[in-house]
Amino acid sequence: MSAEPIELAIVVFLGLAIGSFLNVVVHRLPRHESLVSPGSRCPSCGYALRAADNIPVLSYVVLLGRCRQCRTRISARYPLVELATAVLFVLHYLVFGWTPLLAIRLLFVASMVALFAIDLEHRLLPDAITLPGVVIGLAASVVLPPGFRDAVIGVLAGGGVLWAIGEAYYRYSGEEGMGGGDVKMLAMIGAFLGWQQVMFTLVFSSIAGSVIGLIVIAIKRGGMKYALPFGTFLSIAAVVASLYGEQIVRWYAGLY
Ligand SMILES: [Zn+2]
């Protein structure tokens, strides 16, 4: 489809602004701090950011990645989350156009960016994101793709399959393999994308996780634990599924 310049500009602006908000979520949600007040501060010297210090990406570049007052390094995570959100928003706009489905998918992809960063930093997938995600995904599916029936099956398949794997692993090894957070996250992915895409997400993230896990084992020689938490792979796979999952599933089915 062709991109309207005005729509594209709005999507870029929205991506940067929401990416900036996601940085607040990533920093504060795991610490159980309010998302709205107080305003952003330098974690090192407490300097309260002014509007000019808070422009997505640009402020980071202008300040050369340091606090204006104490010159402490600011994590590169801030501009990266803003850029990634904007890029993913634009890709979704190019796939879905200016449609109601775009709005709901932008909400979905923003949640995936937050879960990716929080899991990477804190090894945690907060219920405060995944559980409302299940509800919102199901509600949207009443009028939008994948449709309510596929979404309900998606929740049950996504949550259920991972729960069963975790339970079997626990009985077999006596060790907790996957956290309950992964199960709820996959249920949320099922609610937004339907059962086919939840299966795609599960397969894609497992392969990506195994490949990267093997590379890490080869480099580090030993240590069977994955270097990265499973939720990070789930987020990447879910974003791919949201954008291109339907084509990939159709292509795969066509092979047989
Ligand atoms: Zn500072």
Side-chain angles (χ1 to χ4, degrees):
M1 62 150 289
S2 60
E4 287 284 331
I6 300 271
E7 293 170 359
L8 192 61
I10 293 172
V11 169
V12 170
F13 179 80
L14 202 64
L16 290 171
I18 291 182
S20 179
F21 172 69
L22 291 179
N23 275 317
V24 177
V25 173
V26 171
H27 185 81
R28 294 188 184 178
L29 195 61
R31 296 175 174 83
H32 303 286
E33 293 170 6
S34 163
L35 297 181
V36 282
S37 69
S40 300
R41 284 172 183 281
C42 167
S44 188
C45 70
Y47 166 73
L49 269 62
R50 281 171 287 166
D53 307 319
N54 228 346
I55 303 163
V57 186
L58 204 65
S59 294
Y60 186 86
V61 173
V62 169
L63 294 169
L64 302 171
R66 291 175 184 278
C67 168
R68 186 188 293 278
Q69 184 166 281
C70 71
R71 311 303 299 161
T72 301
R73 263 197 182 291
I74 302 164
S75 166
R77 194 246 294 153
Y78 288 87
L80 287 177
V81 163
E82 288 157 358
L83 269 180
T85 309
V87 168
L88 292 175
F89 273 31
V90 167
L91 289 175
H92 274 79
Y93 168 66
L94 294 177
V95 168
F96 296 104
W98 195 255
T99 58
L101 185 57
L102 175 68
I104 205 76
R105 288 298 175 90
L106 293 189
L107 182 68
F108 177 69
V109 79
S111 312
M112 291 299 121
V113 171
L115 289 172
F116 176 91
I118 294 174
D119 206 22
L120 195 60
E121 227 174 277
H122 303 275
R123 308 283 150 135
L124 192 73
L125 296 165
D127 287 352
I129 297 175
T130 54
L131 295 183
V134 172
V135 176
I136 294 168
L138 282 176
S141 77
V142 173
V143 287
L144 292 170
F148 189 62
R149 196 186 66 110
D150 277 14
V152 170
I153 301 173
V155 171
L156 297 176
V161 168
L162 210 55
W163 177 83
I165 294 172
E167 194 62 20
Y169 183 81
Y170 179 71
R171 295 230 176 120
Y172 172 76
S173 68
E175 212 181 309
E176 203 88 51
M178 260 169 288
D182 296 319
V183 173
K184 287 172 234 169
M185 181 175 174
L186 214 55
M188 173 184 176
I189 295 167
F192 274 90
L193 304 183
W195 67 270
Q196 282 184 314
Q197 295 312 321
V198 104
M199 290 301 140
F200 170 85
T201 301
L202 200 52
V203 171
F204 187 97
S205 57
S206 304
I207 293 171
S210 308
V211 169
I212 292 178
L214 286 173
I215 292 170
V216 169
I217 289 167
I219 293 170
K220 285 191 169 172
R221 296 177 194 283
M224 286 295 284
K225 296 283 179 211
Y226 286 163
L228 293 173
F230 193 51
T232 58
F233 294 106
L234 280 179
S235 331
I236 296 167
V239 169
V240 173
S242 172
L243 283 168
Y244 310 113
E246 231 169 279
Q247 285 109 293
I248 296 171
V249 167
R250 224 180 299 135
W251 166 80
Y252 186 76
L255 293 178
Y256 297 96

